Amino acid sequence: MSYNPYDNVLATVEKAAKLLGYTPEDYEAVKFPERELHVSVPVRMDDGSVRVFQGYRIQHSTVRGPAKGGVRYHPGVNKDEVRALAAWMTFKCAVVDIPYGGGKGGVAVDPASLSLGELQRLTRRFTSMIAPIIGPDRDIPAPDVGTNAEVMGWMMDTYSMLNGHAIPAAVTGKPIPLGGSQGRGEATGRGVMLCTKYICEKLDRPLAGAAVAVQGMGNVGSVSARLLHEQGARVVAVSDVSGGIYKAAGLAIPAVCQYLSKRGNLLSGYEEAGMTRIGNEELLEADVTVLIPAALENQINAENAGRIRAQVIVEGANGPTTVEADEILERNGTVLVPDILANAGGVVVSYFEWVQNLQALEWEEAEVNAKLEKAMQKAFDSVYGIAAEKQTTLRMGAYLLALKRVVEALRFRGIWP
Ligand code: GLU
């Protein structure tokens, strides 16, 4: 059976709706994305040829506010994936209680295969093609896998030029000089670190000295690894597309991050005394206290879930664990902090960025981090409390909280006309 991430979303929503005692009419509208746009994006390549890339912007929900969510550049991007990612944004924004719905965009492309000029032309053409449905009060893009602050800067400029004036609030995760927020770059990883700290406290396991494995050393994974290292955790294994590295005594994470920060550098070229090279499966199945999947969907599935030895999983990525794997992990007593809570730090600070832009204000980093911490702690405590009360997993706790908020808003708005 081929894996469809949107089926994962629906299965989880159905289960939550049942536990909440909803009738189908209560949440029928939540099961379908509100609006989907599929665009074919022509780009003039440096050699004069023309390539056409498939792009999407999907708004799953605008019930609680404008759609919000990142734009992904990855060869595997397809409509079902963007649909799932958009729906996860709806529930993520509801869990942390920020006034947004959920959306997501993506282009099926390997950004590493493009020159900077090609990447910029692709971004500008894609932005112009989705421009009719985005905007500061409609749908606000942000970075995701394969995109970054520089790409967001081009998106903001393109949208602004099409409208004839600067509109910083149209995009978040921008470079600081364009109205980007302090702390946005590391916000997702900071949220992952905070959730790891909170769950370790609940389980009475000291984070200091705890062995941690991180799958994926992109923006989320590398910041999570660095901040956990700073908290005294022993990050023993990390990986990227080129493979993984392992060191029982703990890797020199600042050196690893420093190495990876150079454009094009991969872990396969990194060396450190005492480390060994490991594969992706070895990383996922490593004997650690905490496993942080921070790459893509469908990494922990029915096939390998039974071999996971970590006691705690904190999902830095969106959808890394399938529904089948969730059941296996629950049976085995693995505690999992779900994506829609664990990686919500990014969109929380995106919200702060949007608020600053709308008011033409600039907050200091300490203020942003303090507000982020407050939002994460509150969401974590709410989810933990609901899960304990209903004797269910933290994933279900998060969905119960989120779905209730979305359905409540839907009830007050009603179905127009
Ligand atoms: N792409 C990030 C996510 O999956 C951030 C979205 C945003 O900031 O809007 O949560």
PDB file of all heavy atoms in Angstrom, residues 68-70 89 92 104 140-144 172 184 318 343 346-347 350, ligand 1:
ATOM      1  N   LYS A  68      -1.869  29.795   7.242  1.00  0.00           N
ATOM      2  CA  LYS A  68      -0.470  30.063   7.603  1.00  0.00           C
ATOM      3  C   LYS A  68       0.324  28.798   7.411  1.00  0.00           C
ATOM      4  O   LYS A  68      -0.110  27.727   7.817  1.00  0.00           O
ATOM      5  CB  LYS A  68      -0.390  30.494   9.085  1.00  0.00           C
ATOM      6  CG  LYS A  68       1.010  30.865   9.536  1.00  0.00           C
ATOM      7  CD  LYS A  68       1.350  32.278   9.151  1.00  0.00           C
ATOM      8  CE  LYS A  68       2.826  32.605   9.349  1.00  0.00           C
ATOM      9  NZ  LYS A  68       3.672  32.129   8.217  1.00  0.00           N
ATOM     10  N   GLY A  69       1.496  28.919   6.824  1.00  0.00           N
ATOM     11  CA  GLY A  69       2.360  27.743   6.693  1.00  0.00           C
ATOM     12  C   GLY A  69       3.444  27.941   5.665  1.00  0.00           C
ATOM     13  O   GLY A  69       3.397  28.867   4.848  1.00  0.00           O
ATOM     14  N   GLY A  70       4.409  27.064   5.720  1.00  0.00           N
ATOM     15  CA  GLY A  70       5.621  27.200   4.930  1.00  0.00           C
ATOM     16  C   GLY A  70       5.484  26.855   3.458  1.00  0.00           C
ATOM     17  O   GLY A  70       4.425  26.444   2.975  1.00  0.00           O
ATOM     18  N   MET A  89      -0.760  22.214   9.764  1.00  0.00           N
ATOM     19  CA  MET A  89      -0.627  23.620  10.189  1.00  0.00           C
ATOM     20  C   MET A  89      -1.898  24.098  10.898  1.00  0.00           C
ATOM     21  O   MET A  89      -1.823  24.838  11.881  1.00  0.00           O
ATOM     22  CB  MET A  89      -0.328  24.530   8.990  1.00  0.00           C
ATOM     23  CG  MET A  89       1.068  24.429   8.393  1.00  0.00           C
ATOM     24  SD  MET A  89       2.460  24.536   9.544  1.00  0.00           S
ATOM     25  CE  MET A  89       2.180  26.123  10.309  1.00  0.00           C
ATOM     26  N   LYS A  92      -1.727  22.613  14.313  1.00  0.00           N
ATOM     27  CA  LYS A  92      -0.585  23.176  15.043  1.00  0.00           C
ATOM     28  C   LYS A  92      -0.935  24.577  15.568  1.00  0.00           C
ATOM     29  O   LYS A  92      -0.717  24.880  16.741  1.00  0.00           O
ATOM     30  CB  LYS A  92       0.616  23.250  14.082  1.00  0.00           C
ATOM     31  CG  LYS A  92       1.931  23.573  14.728  1.00  0.00           C
ATOM     32  CD  LYS A  92       3.034  23.703  13.662  1.00  0.00           C
ATOM     33  CE  LYS A  92       3.200  22.442  12.836  1.00  0.00           C
ATOM     34  NZ  LYS A  92       4.344  22.544  11.879  1.00  0.00           N
ATOM     35  N   LYS A 104      -0.173  25.421   3.249  1.00  0.00           N
ATOM     36  CA  LYS A 104       1.197  25.013   2.918  1.00  0.00           C
ATOM     37  C   LYS A 104       1.390  25.140   1.429  1.00  0.00           C
ATOM     38  O   LYS A 104       0.437  25.041   0.658  1.00  0.00           O
ATOM     39  CB  LYS A 104       1.414  23.555   3.323  1.00  0.00           C
ATOM     40  CG  LYS A 104       2.873  23.197   3.518  1.00  0.00           C
ATOM     41  CD  LYS A 104       3.317  23.629   4.894  1.00  0.00           C
ATOM     42  CE  LYS A 104       4.692  23.125   5.255  1.00  0.00           C
ATOM     43  NZ  LYS A 104       4.879  23.186   6.721  1.00  0.00           N
ATOM     44  N   ILE A 140      -0.283  33.420   4.710  1.00  0.00           N
ATOM     45  CA  ILE A 140       1.060  33.980   4.903  1.00  0.00           C
ATOM     46  C   ILE A 140       2.123  32.881   4.827  1.00  0.00           C
ATOM     47  O   ILE A 140       2.276  32.088   5.749  1.00  0.00           O
ATOM     48  CB  ILE A 140       1.146  34.707   6.274  1.00  0.00           C
ATOM     49  CG1 ILE A 140       0.028  35.755   6.398  1.00  0.00           C
ATOM     50  CG2 ILE A 140       2.509  35.382   6.458  1.00  0.00           C
ATOM     51  CD1 ILE A 140      -1.039  35.416   7.400  1.00  0.00           C
ATOM     52  N   PRO A 141       2.897  32.824   3.724  1.00  0.00           N
ATOM     53  CA  PRO A 141       3.949  31.810   3.587  1.00  0.00           C
ATOM     54  C   PRO A 141       5.128  32.036   4.541  1.00  0.00           C
ATOM     55  O   PRO A 141       5.294  33.117   5.111  1.00  0.00           O
ATOM     56  CB  PRO A 141       4.418  31.951   2.132  1.00  0.00           C
ATOM     57  CG  PRO A 141       3.327  32.699   1.434  1.00  0.00           C
ATOM     58  CD  PRO A 141       2.730  33.593   2.488  1.00  0.00           C
ATOM     59  N   ALA A 142       5.943  30.993   4.691  1.00  0.00           N
ATOM     60  CA  ALA A 142       7.110  30.999   5.583  1.00  0.00           C
ATOM     61  C   ALA A 142       8.072  29.920   5.076  1.00  0.00           C
ATOM     62  O   ALA A 142       7.736  29.181   4.157  1.00  0.00           O
ATOM     63  CB  ALA A 142       6.661  30.685   7.013  1.00  0.00           C
ATOM     64  N   PRO A 143       9.250  29.798   5.684  1.00  0.00           N
ATOM     65  CA  PRO A 143      10.173  28.745   5.226  1.00  0.00           C
ATOM     66  C   PRO A 143       9.725  27.352   5.668  1.00  0.00           C
ATOM     67  O   PRO A 143       9.009  27.188   6.640  1.00  0.00           O
ATOM     68  CB  PRO A 143      11.502  29.098   5.913  1.00  0.00           C
ATOM     69  CG  PRO A 143      11.326  30.424   6.553  1.00  0.00           C
ATOM     70  CD  PRO A 143       9.862  30.642   6.726  1.00  0.00           C
ATOM     71  N   ASP A 144      10.179  26.357   4.927  1.00  0.00           N
ATOM     72  CA  ASP A 144      10.021  24.945   5.281  1.00  0.00           C
ATOM     73  C   ASP A 144      11.244  24.230   4.683  1.00  0.00           C
ATOM     74  O   ASP A 144      12.231  24.891   4.332  1.00  0.00           O
ATOM     75  CB  ASP A 144       8.692  24.404   4.738  1.00  0.00           C
ATOM     76  CG  ASP A 144       8.307  23.073   5.371  1.00  0.00           C
ATOM     77  OD1 ASP A 144       7.872  23.071   6.537  1.00  0.00           O
ATOM     78  OD2 ASP A 144       8.443  22.019   4.718  1.00  0.00           O
ATOM     79  N   THR A 172       6.535  35.463   6.430  1.00  0.00           N
ATOM     80  CA  THR A 172       7.342  35.463   7.660  1.00  0.00           C
ATOM     81  C   THR A 172       8.589  34.605   7.458  1.00  0.00           C
ATOM     82  O   THR A 172       8.699  33.878   6.479  1.00  0.00           O
ATOM     83  CB  THR A 172       6.545  34.963   8.880  1.00  0.00           C
ATOM     84  OG1 THR A 172       6.130  33.615   8.633  1.00  0.00           O
ATOM     85  CG2 THR A 172       5.351  35.839   9.168  1.00  0.00           C
ATOM     86  N   ARG A 184      13.493  34.134  15.004  1.00  0.00           N
ATOM     87  CA  ARG A 184      12.699  33.266  14.124  1.00  0.00           C
ATOM     88  C   ARG A 184      13.543  32.121  13.572  1.00  0.00           C
ATOM     89  O   ARG A 184      13.078  30.992  13.451  1.00  0.00           O
ATOM     90  CB  ARG A 184      12.068  34.069  12.969  1.00  0.00           C
ATOM     91  CG  ARG A 184      11.304  33.223  11.935  1.00  0.00           C
ATOM     92  CD  ARG A 184      10.148  32.494  12.556  1.00  0.00           C
ATOM     93  NE  ARG A 184       9.458  31.573  11.641  1.00  0.00           N
ATOM     94  CZ  ARG A 184       9.797  30.315  11.439  1.00  0.00           C
ATOM     95  NH1 ARG A 184      10.851  29.805  12.041  1.00  0.00           N
ATOM     96  NH2 ARG A 184       9.095  29.542  10.620  1.00  0.00           N
ATOM     97  N   ASN A 318       7.474  17.340  10.418  1.00  0.00           N
ATOM     98  CA  ASN A 318       6.030  17.176  10.319  1.00  0.00           C
ATOM     99  C   ASN A 318       5.736  15.761   9.840  1.00  0.00           C
ATOM    100  O   ASN A 318       6.282  15.319   8.827  1.00  0.00           O
ATOM    101  CB  ASN A 318       5.451  18.178   9.318  1.00  0.00           C
ATOM    102  CG  ASN A 318       5.510  19.599   9.845  1.00  0.00           C
ATOM    103  OD1 ASN A 318       5.086  19.875  10.958  1.00  0.00           O
ATOM    104  ND2 ASN A 318       6.065  20.508   9.047  1.00  0.00           N
ATOM    105  N   ASN A 343       7.024  20.953  17.156  1.00  0.00           N
ATOM    106  CA  ASN A 343       7.704  21.844  16.202  1.00  0.00           C
ATOM    107  C   ASN A 343       6.920  23.148  15.969  1.00  0.00           C
ATOM    108  O   ASN A 343       7.160  23.859  14.995  1.00  0.00           O
ATOM    109  CB  ASN A 343       8.034  21.125  14.891  1.00  0.00           C
ATOM    110  CG  ASN A 343       6.822  20.817  14.032  1.00  0.00           C
ATOM    111  OD1 ASN A 343       5.848  21.572  14.018  1.00  0.00           O
ATOM    112  ND2 ASN A 343       6.874  19.718  13.292  1.00  0.00           N
ATOM    113  N   GLY A 346       8.288  27.398  15.501  1.00  0.00           N
ATOM    114  CA  GLY A 346       8.516  28.181  14.283  1.00  0.00           C
ATOM    115  C   GLY A 346       7.331  29.065  13.948  1.00  0.00           C
ATOM    116  O   GLY A 346       7.472  30.271  13.724  1.00  0.00           O
ATOM    117  N   VAL A 347       6.160  28.454  13.930  1.00  0.00           N
ATOM    118  CA  VAL A 347       4.992  29.253  13.537  1.00  0.00           C
ATOM    119  C   VAL A 347       4.590  30.224  14.649  1.00  0.00           C
ATOM    120  O   VAL A 347       4.025  31.290  14.374  1.00  0.00           O
ATOM    121  CB  VAL A 347       3.824  28.357  13.064  1.00  0.00           C
ATOM    122  CG1 VAL A 347       3.103  27.671  14.214  1.00  0.00           C
ATOM    123  CG2 VAL A 347       2.827  29.182  12.244  1.00  0.00           C
ATOM    124  N   SER A 350       6.701  33.039  13.882  1.00  0.00           N
ATOM    125  CA  SER A 350       6.164  33.626  12.644  1.00  0.00           C
ATOM    126  C   SER A 350       5.002  34.558  12.982  1.00  0.00           C
ATOM    127  O   SER A 350       4.858  35.643  12.418  1.00  0.00           O
ATOM    128  CB  SER A 350       5.657  32.537  11.694  1.00  0.00           C
ATOM    129  OG  SER A 350       6.687  32.051  10.874  1.00  0.00           O
TER     130      SER A 350
HETATM  131  N1  GLU B   1       7.235  25.378   8.022  1.00  0.00           N
HETATM  132  C1  GLU B   1       7.086  25.571   9.428  1.00  0.00           C
HETATM  133  C2  GLU B   1       6.139  24.542   9.999  1.00  0.00           C
HETATM  134  O1  GLU B   1       5.949  23.488   9.450  1.00  0.00           O
HETATM  135  C3  GLU B   1       6.756  27.003   9.804  1.00  0.00           C
HETATM  136  C4  GLU B   1       5.469  27.552   9.268  1.00  0.00           C
HETATM  137  C5  GLU B   1       5.275  29.037   9.546  1.00  0.00           C
HETATM  138  O2  GLU B   1       6.092  29.634  10.229  1.00  0.00           O
HETATM  139  O3  GLU B   1       4.292  29.557   9.031  1.00  0.00           O
HETATM  140  O4  GLU B   1       5.612  24.711  11.068  1.00  0.00           O
END
